[in-house]
Amino acid sequence: ALHEGHVVSTQELTKLLHPGFTQNSRNLILFLQDTLSIDDFTYLSESYGTKNPFQNIQEILQSSPSSLLLPAVDCKATRYLLSFLQESGDWKLTNITNLNVSQLQVNTSKPNLLLVQLQPPVRGFQLSHLPEFVKLCMFLFIDKVIGRLTTDLQEKGINFSVIYTAVRPSRISRRTDVVWESRRQLMATEEEDSSSYPPLDVTTGNATCILFYARNFSLLANSSVLIDLTNATFVTKNVVISSSECSDTNTTLSLKYTKPVNGISSLEIRFLMTNKFYGGSARNWSTVDSIEIIQDEEKFAKFNVSVISAPAEYSFHCQLVGTSNLYPARLIPSNNEAKNWQVFISGLQIQGFNIENNQFSYASDCTGFFTPGIWMGLVTSILLLWILTYGIHMIMQLTTNNRFDDPKGPALSVPQTE
């Protein structure tokens, strides 16, 4: 039993898993995906009612003779997990990356370690304005793959154990030591997010000229092909940034990917930033003027950008950036090809000028201090205060009689003039 809020360390994880390798089970399946948190199970299960995206996983837990659920595991422990498993026994390692398990052959004469990389391509649906719908489709696909593989092994009479985990958490909680602060703590939030992986940096000589970070960096091509670039950009670094350019007035962040998904051989994404002096504020401002997407070196899509600007000495931060009308920082298509793309960036922080000590400067957030919720609260409070003031004023105008009837005397007569 683990108390609430406890994060399992590397040593604790190895102790918990070691007994499973000393049993009769000689086959182990490790389902590994990029991001996962315990909140994904509770939130998605409750949000979509009868459409349970974890049906096969729940059936496996219920039918298994023993199970172990760890709500929070240290990222370092999950990164070390594969090495620990290989060292714990003489396993025959089999990597499964194409998620096609129909032709899988398992030799039961020796221990088998099946590593299943869960990076599902999401196709055949229209992207809604809510990113959680994309995650729901991902988990439906993942649950189907897990159910198909485990069912196939069970039908063959093969005993096995299953581990389902991820490289890093998908939801990062706020630190309790900064929650009580009344003022805004933008950089504190960024420190939490960046703890899972560092930002992407572009250097010229010994100096860093561009810093780029996103908690989720995804594209949707032709409303059917989802391209998740988060892992390739920040974790595995399977991105070429040599075409990036830096200067005091113009900076271009160029991200080039080779075969990000099936059907696309090359993809380049450019962030064009400028540093200009504005007389109205008497200072320099850095802005992201446009974002360009080049597919297979021939299809060119360009987006104009709104709201992404900050003082030149600051970095820019925004929780949601993309093509949806609901996002605070919106990407507006400027040509026909751009209409075929949808962009979703969460937890964006970018800086292209005046970087010191290879770290982000103080963040200027896209959401102002007076949000729509604050304005609604102010208007409602003013309206209620006006009603209260009017009521008190009317009560103060009430007067009492200065003469009263005497039941033993004649009836009181009050002239109309009074």
Side-chain angles (χ1 to χ4, degrees):
L2 301 174
H3 62 80
E4 182 180 1
H6 178 71
V7 179
V8 177
S9 64
T10 304
Q11 293 78 9
E12 291 173 327
L13 182 63
T14 56
K15 290 181 180 180
L16 290 170
L17 296 180
H18 184 72
F21 308 138
T22 60
Q23 306 300 324
N24 296 328
S25 176
R26 294 166 52 85
N27 302 291
L28 178 64
I29 309 174
L30 174 59
F31 292 103
L32 186 65
Q33 65 188 66
D34 291 338
T35 60
L36 182 69
S37 292
I38 194 68
D39 292 339
D40 294 328
F41 295 93
T42 56
Y43 180 80
L44 294 176
S45 297
E46 296 174 356
S47 299
Y48 295 93
T50 58
K51 196 172 185 179
N52 185 4
F54 310 105
Q55 180 177 356
N56 291 308
I57 297 176
Q58 290 178 351
E59 291 178 355
I60 293 173
L61 287 173
Q62 294 173 358
S63 61
S64 175
S66 63
S67 62
L68 175 65
L69 176 63
L70 303 177
V73 180
D74 190 358
C75 295
K76 296 180 181 178
T78 56
R79 296 191 186 103
Y80 174 71
L81 179 59
L82 182 58
S83 300
F84 166 72
L85 293 177
Q86 291 177 311
E87 296 172 357
S88 61
D90 186 18
W91 304 94
K92 177 187 176 183
L93 179 62
T94 302
N95 284 287
I96 303 175
T97 57
N98 58 1
L99 302 183
N100 184 11
V101 298
S102 59
Q103 304 297 328
L104 179 63
Q105 299 294 330
V106 179
N107 185 5
T108 57
S109 61
K110 59 175 60 177
N112 293 278
L113 174 59
L114 306 179
L115 175 59
V116 184
Q117 298 281 353
L118 298 174
Q119 296 177 354
V122 182
R123 302 174 182 269
F125 70 93
Q126 296 292 329
L127 181 65
S128 68
H129 293 303
L130 298 176
E132 296 295 343
F133 180 71
V134 181
K135 184 173 290 188
L136 173 67
C137 295
M138 285 183 176
F139 278 111
L140 286 171
F141 182 86
I142 290 172
D143 184 70
K144 184 178 179 181
V145 172
I146 295 176
R148 188 167 66 246
L149 177 57
T150 54
T151 302
D152 183 67
L153 294 178
Q154 288 175 347
E155 292 177 351
K156 294 179 180 179
I158 300 176
N159 295 325
F160 58 89
S161 300
V162 176
I163 298 177
Y164 179 35
T165 185
V167 177
R168 62 181 187 275
S170 59
R171 301 169 186 265
I172 302 176
S173 302
R174 242 181 228 277
R175 297 203 312 264
T176 56
D177 58 343
V178 297
V179 170
W180 65 272
E181 296 278 359
S182 60
R183 62 188 180 91
R184 305 185 69 176
Q185 296 288 337
L186 295 178
M187 294 310 298
T189 304
E190 290 309 310
E191 291 176 0
E192 300 157 17
D193 294 343
S194 61
S195 61
S196 56
Y197 48 76
L200 180 70
D201 62 306
V202 178
T203 59
T204 55
N206 296 327
T208 301
C209 62
I210 303 176
L211 286 175
F212 173 65
Y213 176 83
R215 191 167 55 250
N216 191 341
F217 184 25
S218 303
L219 309 176
L220 190 70
N222 299 319
S223 300
S224 60
V225 181
L226 180 67
I227 309 173
D228 189 352
L229 302 174
T230 310
N231 189 63
T233 305
F234 304 104
V235 181
T236 62
K237 304 289 186 179
N238 293 328
V239 57
V240 178
I241 58 176
S242 57
S243 298
S244 300
E245 299 177 354
C246 297
S247 70
D248 294 335
T249 57
N250 294 280
T251 296
T252 300
L253 172 62
S254 174
L255 308 174
K256 292 183 178 180
Y257 306 88
T258 301
K259 293 184 178 179
V261 292
N262 295 332
I264 298 179
S265 60
S266 65
L267 186 68
E268 181 181 4
I269 303 174
R270 299 173 182 167
F271 292 78
L272 281 71
M273 295 171 279
T274 59
N275 181 12
K276 294 182 180 180
F277 178 82
Y278 291 86
S281 57
R283 68 180 307 167
N284 284 58
W285 286 74
S286 64
T287 60
V288 178
D289 296 327
S290 62
I291 296 178
E292 301 173 350
I293 301 175
I294 303 174
Q295 177 188 346
D296 300 329
E297 298 182 355
E298 57 181 17
K299 296 182 179 180
F300 177 79
K302 183 177 180 180
F303 297 88
N304 294 327
V305 181
S306 65
V307 184
I308 302 184
S309 62
E313 299 81 10
Y314 293 171
S315 64
F316 174 82
H317 171 269
C318 195
Q319 286 293 343
L320 290 175
V321 177
T323 52
S324 172
N325 295 330
L326 303 179
Y327 296 160
R330 188 187 172 202
L331 308 183
I332 305 171
S334 63
N335 60 3
N336 293 330
E337 182 63 29
K339 297 178 181 179
N340 298 325
W341 291 88
Q342 297 186 47
V343 183
F344 170 67
I345 308 175
S346 67
L348 169 71
Q349 187 167 9
I350 189 170
Q351 184 174 357
F353 306 95
N354 303 315
I355 297 176
E356 298 180 358
N357 301 323
N358 299 330
Q359 294 181 353
F360 280 116
S361 302
Y362 180 84
S364 176
D365 200 80
C366 61
T367 303
F369 287 95
F370 284 93
T371 62
I374 294 177
W375 279 115
M376 291 176 62
L378 288 175
V379 172
T380 304
S381 300
I382 293 173
L383 179 61
L384 293 176
L385 183 61
W386 180 83
I387 294 175
L388 177 62
T389 304
Y390 179 77
I392 294 175
H393 175 74
M394 295 301 294
I395 292 176
M396 293 178 64
Q397 299 301 315
L398 294 177
T399 58
T400 58
N401 294 331
N402 55 5
R403 286 181 291 176
F404 300 91
D405 266 334
D406 184 3
K408 298 180 180 181
L412 179 63
S413 176
V414 179
Q416 292 184 357
T417 56
E418 297 183 12

